[in-house]
Structure formats: C-alpha cells, structure tokens
Amino acid sequence: MFNSIHKDTNMVPQIHSPQQANQAADDLRLIRLNQVMAKIGMGRSWVYAKVAEGAFPQPVNFGGRAVAWLESEVDAWILEQVASRKAS
C-alpha cells in the first residue's frame, strides 16, 4: 500500500528548499489521542463521537488499535472553530 500511495505524484509534496522541507514535515506530523485531547481540551468519548459525526478529522489507522491524527488537520479544525465563533 505504501508504494502505491507514493507512486501518485499528487500525494508527494514538491520540496525545493529547506523551509519547504520543514513545512512538509510539520504538515505530516502525527499526534496520538492523548496529545489531541490536550490540544483541544476534550475527552476521548467526545473526540470519537465527533469523528463518527464527521465533525472532527479522521484518525490515521496503523493497524490494530493504533491510531494517530495529522496535527495539521487538528490545528485546522481548531482554527475553524475560532473563525466560526468570530462569525457568530
């Protein structure tokens, strides 16, 4: 599966500078559930309920029960919550 994903050049970021390499690494940083909960201030049940509703980013499954979230997606979700608060 890994090879088939990376054969698609749309999935592979084009990196031309050290700054772009750092940004690509930040965009792909994975965080575990305890880090997600600490970042958003909500508990395990809330996180999984919102994932099931489609209202929170989906975790990346590593097989078995091992999952993690892309930190960039969690951060984007936080920014959306702040923006919606300002719009209200």
Side-chain angles (χ1 to χ4, degrees), residues 38-57:
K39 199 174 252 271
I40 65 171
M42 302 302 283
R44 176 185 316 266
S45 298
W46 187 93
V47 170
Y48 282 111
K50 292 300 179 184
V51 167
E53 293 172 12
F56 194 75

Side-chain angles (χ1 to χ4, degrees), residues 29-79:
R29 183 169 186 261
L30 295 170
I31 57 175
R32 299 297 301 264
L33 179 60
N34 62 342
Q35 294 169 296
V36 171
M37 293 186 310
K39 199 174 252 271
I40 65 171
M42 302 302 283
R44 176 185 316 266
S45 298
W46 187 93
V47 170
Y48 282 111
K50 292 300 179 184
V51 167
E53 293 172 12
F56 194 75
Q58 292 283 323
V60 177
N61 188 341
F62 292 103
R65 297 182 342 177
V67 297
W69 282 258
L70 282 170
E71 186 171 34
S72 59
E73 291 180 355
V74 174
D75 290 343
W77 179 87
I78 292 169
L79 291 173

